[in-house]
């Protein structure tokens, strides 16, 4: 069996934004989302329709989750039964419900911190990987949450482009296909757009969870695949954020090298592109298709969690 090449060797010479926004920068390509970009996004609002992109946490059909992570567990801590035992209750007599949730911060629709993935012992902007021990001292999700994400979003409906219900396990999407998809939609991807990709892949989870687990083990997820041209395109287009409806935003195993999650390194670690994963794009994609308008105002606010590697998020699209 041939050994998978080292990510650092595969990405030697790949574009980088390290230092571009100073030695203390922790928000990376979100720096591209200036006030002018917010106004450009707002100009996409024509009908006032609102779509939320978060998947349901606690779906009775099950929650898809990256292998090795456990689904979120919500526990009811207090409900009406609490007062059955005769607790005198709150002065004034009102009753209340309370609950808690235990979950992987990347266990649902979520935004990755820029320090989520690294190689060569260095995170985004050159921060030492030892700064991740016990929590991310640098490039955690917190600076992303403080800043917020607002930009012109552009949906590229890859499943629709392929004339398929969805992209299947391990299906790789090249830069050329991405651009062809945009062309077929008559959509112009502009510099600094938030790129939103629909695969509808996770519908497979709800059809057959055993087959889904097997498919993930054998082939992994579909999605964009790394090439030097793709990384250069993201750098030149100053793309601030990549948003998809898969669990990790990219084809799991790079078809050329076999390296896993290569785009996390090329885009997130090197360029500071913010990844938002596991979105539910079905409703907004259906709406975009009806009037053939695939651009919108995209807003996302991850949670402020100190030192966290990611955060659940409910992105909002306004058309
Ligand atoms: C992994 O870490 C595998 O993926 P994600 O980016 O979804 O957290």
């Amino acid at each position: 069996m041939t050994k998978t090449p080292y990510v650092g060797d595969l990405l030697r010479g790949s574009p980088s934004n390290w230092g571009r926004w100073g030695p203390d920068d922790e928000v990376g390509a979100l720096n591209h989302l200036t006030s002018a970009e917010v106004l450009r996004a707002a100009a996409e609002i024509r009908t006032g329709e609102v779509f939320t992109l978060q998947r349901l946490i606690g779906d009775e059909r099950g929650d898809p989750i990256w292998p090795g992570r456990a689904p979120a567990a919500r526990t009811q801590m207090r409900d009406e039964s609490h007062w059955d035992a005769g607790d005198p209750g709150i002065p004034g007599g009102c009753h209340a419900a309370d609950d808690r949730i235990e979950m992987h911060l990347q266990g649902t629709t979520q935004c990755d911190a820029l320090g989520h993935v690294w190689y060569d012992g260095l995170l985004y902007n050159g921060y030492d990987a030892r700064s991740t021990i016990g929590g991310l001292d640098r490039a955690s999700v917190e600076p992303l949450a403080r800043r917020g994400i607002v930009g012109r979003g552009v949906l590229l409906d890859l499943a629709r482009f392929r004339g398929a219900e969805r992209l299947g396990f391990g299906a790789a999407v090249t830069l050329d296909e991405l651009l062809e998809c945009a062309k077929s939609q008559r959509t112009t991807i502009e510099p600094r757009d938030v790129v939103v990709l629909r695969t509808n892949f996770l519908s497979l989870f709800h059809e057959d969870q055993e087959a889904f687990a097997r498919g993930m083990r054998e082939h992994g997820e579909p999605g964009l695949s790394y090439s030097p041209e793709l990384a250069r395109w993201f750098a030149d287009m100053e793309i601030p954020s990549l948003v998809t409806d898969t669990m990790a935003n990219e084809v799991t195993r790079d078809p050329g090298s076999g390296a896993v999650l290569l785009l996390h390194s090329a885009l997130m670690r090197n360029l500071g592109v913010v990844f938002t994963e596991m979105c539910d794009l079905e409703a907004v994609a259906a709406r975009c298709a009806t009037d053939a308008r695939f651009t919108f105002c995209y807003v996302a606010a991850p949670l402020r969690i100190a030192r966290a590697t990611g955060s659940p998020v409910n992105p909002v699209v306004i058309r």
Side-chain angles (χ1 to χ4, degrees):
M1 208 163 93
T2 50
K3 197 165 173 291
T4 308
Y6 176 57
V7 57
D9 294 328
L10 291 168
L11 298 183
R12 213 64 74 203
S14 202
S16 163
N17 279 329
W18 291 15
R20 178 171 180 172
W21 296 287
D24 291 319
D25 177 61
E26 297 178 295
V27 301
L30 291 191
N31 283 292
H32 294 309
L33 292 178
T34 58
S35 308
E37 293 307 315
V38 174
L39 295 178
R40 196 169 66 87
E44 291 294 332
I45 302 175
R46 313 266 167 83
T47 62
E49 292 162 285
V50 172
F51 297 84
T52 57
L53 306 188
Q54 194 214 318
R55 297 182 65 87
L56 180 64
I57 298 174
D59 190 327
E60 58 187 20
R61 302 169 301 162
D63 293 345
I65 190 94
W66 186 261
R69 290 177 180 154
R74 193 193 65 82
T75 310
Q76 195 72 27
M77 304 304 289
R78 182 168 287 204
D79 54 30
E80 179 61 9
S81 68
H82 176 82
W83 283 273
D84 292 347
D87 185 316
I90 303 166
C94 80
H95 290 181
D98 212 1
D99 52 7
R100 69 191 293 272
I101 192 160
E102 187 172 346
M103 68 182 296
H104 288 264
L105 290 174
Q106 281 133 330
T108 183
T109 307
Q110 47 97 8
C111 189
D112 282 341
L114 293 183
H116 175 44
V117 160
W118 60 88
Y119 62 87
D120 280 352
L122 297 172
L123 320 177
Y124 168 72
N125 219 26
Y127 301 123
D128 191 328
R130 308 290 302 174
S131 66
T132 63
I133 294 176
L136 270 57
D137 292 332
R138 304 310 307 252
S140 78
V141 81
E142 211 257 329
L144 307 181
R146 246 183 296 125
R147 185 176 175 105
I149 306 170
V150 181
R152 178 185 187 260
V154 55
L155 176 74
L156 300 166
D157 192 335
L158 297 166
R160 190 167 167 271
F161 176 64
R162 288 193 178 190
E165 193 180 340
R166 64 200 152 218
L167 268 58
F169 295 103
V173 176
T174 62
L175 174 62
D176 280 349
E177 184 174 0
L178 192 76
L179 300 179
E180 282 303 316
C181 173
K183 205 156 123 195
S184 81
Q185 293 179 185
R186 299 179 201 281
T187 302
T188 306
I189 309 172
E190 297 179 359
R192 304 185 166 197
D193 279 350
V194 173
V195 171
V196 182
L197 305 182
R198 173 178 176 264
T199 67
N200 193 26
F201 168 67
L202 290 177
S203 57
L204 280 171
F205 171 84
H206 292 299
E207 282 182 12
D208 183 338
Q209 294 187 23
E210 261 177 47
F212 183 82
R214 199 167 50 248
M216 281 298 294
R217 266 194 313 277
E218 290 172 5
H219 308 288
E221 289 197 295
L224 276 184
S225 61
Y226 170 78
S227 66
E229 297 72 30
L230 182 90
R232 174 49 57 200
W233 183 84
F234 269 81
D236 291 348
M237 292 290 284
E238 301 189 331
I239 301 300
S241 184
L242 174 66
V243 178
T244 82
D245 58 2
T246 66
M247 292 184 282
N249 265 15
E250 60 174 302
V251 70
T252 304
R253 269 184 284 282
D254 175 49
S257 64
V260 168
L261 300 184
L262 197 48
L263 270 195
H264 273 60
S265 292
L267 302 186
M268 183 192 299
R269 179 223 187 236
N270 292 349
L271 292 177
V273 174
V274 171
F275 280 25
T276 296
E277 298 161 333
M278 258 203 261
C279 289
D280 180 347
L281 299 174
E282 292 314 288
V284 72
R287 182 68 188 100
C288 289
T290 58
D291 64 0
R293 186 166 69 87
F294 295 84
T295 55
F296 37 74
C297 176
Y298 175 91
V299 180
L303 305 180
R304 288 188 68 188
I305 307 172
R307 306 182 77 199
T309 60
S311 155
V313 65
N314 187 4
V316 176
V317 159
I318 314 168
R319 296 180 87 243

